[in-house]
Amino acid sequence: MNLSRRRLFQTGLAGSLASMLPVSAASVGASSPVRARGIIFMVSDGMSSGVLPMSEAFSQQLRKRPTAWWQLLSGPATVHGLMDTASSDSLVTDSAAASSAWSSGQRIPNSQVNISDKGRELESIGATLRTQNVRLGLVTTSKVTHATPAGFAANSVDRNDEDHIAPQYLDRAELVLGGGSKFFDAAKRGDRRDLFAEYRKAGYEVLRHRDELLASNSPKLLGTFASDHLPYSIDRAADPKLAKKVPTLAEMTRAALDRFLASDKPFLLQVEGARIDHAAHANDIGALLHDQLAFDDALAEVIAMTAAHPEILVVITSDHGNANPALNGTGAAYRRTNEHFERIARARASHEAILASWKSKPGDTSDLVALIEKSLGFTPEKEEASALLDTLAGREFAEWSHQLSNPPGLLGQISGNHTGTGWTGVSHTADPTVISSFGPGSAAFSGLVRNDQVRDKLLETLGV
Ligand SMILES: [Zn+2]
């Protein structure tokens, strides 16, 4: 995208986004050809549907503008549906089975990557596209070897065998951007294989720093900007060193799309906001909403960059729900709801960062009260802090939900007492997820879509 258009978009005026939507959406309605030259498949990992209205309210409060996804929901030319997300062995899927279902066209057991319940290796969509000269890109805020990107291009009996997944992107995905450098680093891999050198030899530019990404002109990229997952957006924003080293999801998306839109070759780009899922596991509403806004910034970038490209299909969805966060009405006649919700914006750190800092320097109840006050912007009751202290020390406390009787569950509930937010547990859920799409072929993603129908729809739209 040229600078002036990017600047126009980044001014954050609702009008500028709205003015772009009809171009990308209205011009590619149901009457358009079903073939697309390229597909951008965006995944807000673990995003229960209740996250959408909360992130909209959060964006309005924090940035005085709507989210791109909310605007798509209210736009007449975008297609919407629900994704049926089960795996082959559970009503509740994990990310590995979910991404594998999209990619291979088959539901498989949780924790496996494109391996069937009979132990058979299934062809990933990345492997299929490779034979048809369709370019593949994987952009994520998790380790690039994590389940969702891996599902599009790798096979592994165990999703956690990331040493095994890392070499499989060689010449299968041209653009690989995210975290997880430890799985490419000879000093950290079990087999001491130097994958950075192997990728370089295969023509990839290896990037480790945000500045390198912003300066690069190379067509093939392997960018790993952290040893593990990229930091939560809320923690990145609080640490200038991290903000300098780690690109945002929108920046990585722009880098990938710049390359794919520069030629007329077909492509599939997966963009994953991975840490929304992790924040939901941690019942951390502040981290979750900040990462959802970062995902939405990437979506806004995609909408702006494809505005002049009606030949591109954009699909936005989630692989499964997680802990189903929601805003509860509080106060008489629910009149304190907004005031409570608005406290979320005072958070300055993720629960992960708070619990890590407590672990490195524990103290007494008043120290914990002070830490929460400083990090989350509300003052917990003494009883709340002392119960949390008990769980952190592994002592029993009165909590009848097995899902919530642990430090993340309890901290989530305490935070809920002050912000009005509630959670069903700390794990994935069976709820269907929202799927929105625009561009050629989007009509195929209306109504109830099973996750194992996605592969055929994507390949058909690409004409493969
Ligand atoms: Zn998860």
Side-chain angles (χ1 to χ4, degrees), residues 45-46 95 159 277-278 281 320 322 428:
D45 201 286
S95 293
R159 61 176 280 177
D277 179 64
H278 304 155
H281 281 298
H320 49 74
N322 189 340
H428 297 183

Side-chain angles (χ1 to χ4, degrees), residues 93-387:
T93 190
D94 76 340
S95 293
S99 185
S100 298
W102 290 334
S103 170
S104 73
Q106 279 192 45
R107 284 185 170 169
I108 65 163
N110 287 344
S111 83
Q112 300 181 182
V113 180
N114 294 312
I115 302 286
S116 78
D117 47 7
K118 308 264 184 310
R120 197 165 62 82
E121 211 166 271
L122 304 173
E123 187 169 279
S124 68
I125 195 163
T128 308
L129 295 178
R130 175 80 190 119
T131 66
Q132 305 291 321
N133 292 318
V134 178
R135 306 159 83 194
L136 177 68
L138 302 170
V139 171
T140 181
T141 51
S142 67
K143 299 170 279 186
V144 295
T145 47
H146 208 45
T148 303
F152 268 32
N155 299 84
S156 185
V157 175
D158 176 7
R159 61 176 280 177
N160 295 316
D161 189 358
E162 292 173 79
D163 270 0
H164 175 57
I165 291 166
Q168 297 186 50
Y169 300 149
L170 262 171
D171 284 322
R172 193 166 282 176
E174 293 183 23
L175 299 166
V176 181
L177 301 171
S181 58
K182 61 186 174 187
F183 300 109
F184 297 85
D185 186 339
K188 308 232 170 87
R189 285 180 56 86
D191 59 5
R192 298 285 177 255
R193 203 170 146 185
D194 184 354
L195 284 189
F196 284 131
E198 290 183 37
Y199 275 81
R200 256 189 219 106
K201 210 169 149 212
Y204 291 79
E205 183 180 357
V206 170
L207 312 166
R208 307 293 300 278
H209 196 286
R210 175 175 177 267
D211 288 343
E212 294 169 351
L213 176 71
L214 299 182
S216 169
N217 287 315
S218 308
K220 282 170 82 175
L221 302 176
L222 170 64
T224 52
F225 306 99
S227 175
D228 205 273
H229 301 308
L230 300 189
Y232 283 116
S233 301
I234 193 172
D235 294 332
R236 178 187 181 275
D239 182 342
K241 266 209 305 233
L242 274 182
K244 207 168 150 30
K245 178 166 195 314
V246 178
T248 63
L249 185 61
E251 287 170 340
M252 294 190 292
T253 302
R254 185 189 309 150
L257 214 42
D258 264 340
R259 285 158 176 83
F260 283 155
L261 293 178
S263 83
D264 55 8
K265 289 194 193 140
F267 71 87
L268 171 65
L269 172 63
Q270 185 200 76
V271 175
E272 186 202 19
R275 307 229 60 195
I276 292 119
D277 179 64
H278 304 155
H281 281 298
N283 285 189
D284 182 348
I285 193 65
L288 183 142
L289 291 179
H290 280 284
D291 262 72
Q292 182 63 27
L293 292 191
F295 176 80
D296 200 76
D297 287 343
L299 171 57
E301 190 71 50
V302 163
I303 292 170
M305 291 182 78
T306 57
H309 289 276
E311 77 281 16
I312 307 297
L313 167 67
V314 180
V315 180
I316 314 116
T317 190
S318 181
D319 48 356
H320 49 74
N322 189 340
N324 294 15
L327 179 61
N328 296 313
T330 52
Y334 304 146
R335 290 205 182 89
R336 294 199 68 194
T337 308
N338 298 15
E339 170 204 336
H340 282 146
F341 180 77
E342 282 164 11
R343 291 182 185 171
I344 298 168
R346 299 184 198 157
R348 292 289 171 270
S350 67
H351 290 191
E352 181 183 273
I354 295 168
L355 295 174
S357 111
W358 183 257
K359 212 171 149 197
S360 70
K361 196 169 163 266
D364 60 17
T365 311
S366 56
D367 295 322
L368 191 52
V369 169
L371 177 64
I372 291 175
E373 213 167 47
K374 185 179 86 171
S375 314
L376 297 181
F378 64 80
T379 311
E381 306 289 335
K382 258 219 149 98
E383 295 73 23
E384 291 174 328
S386 97

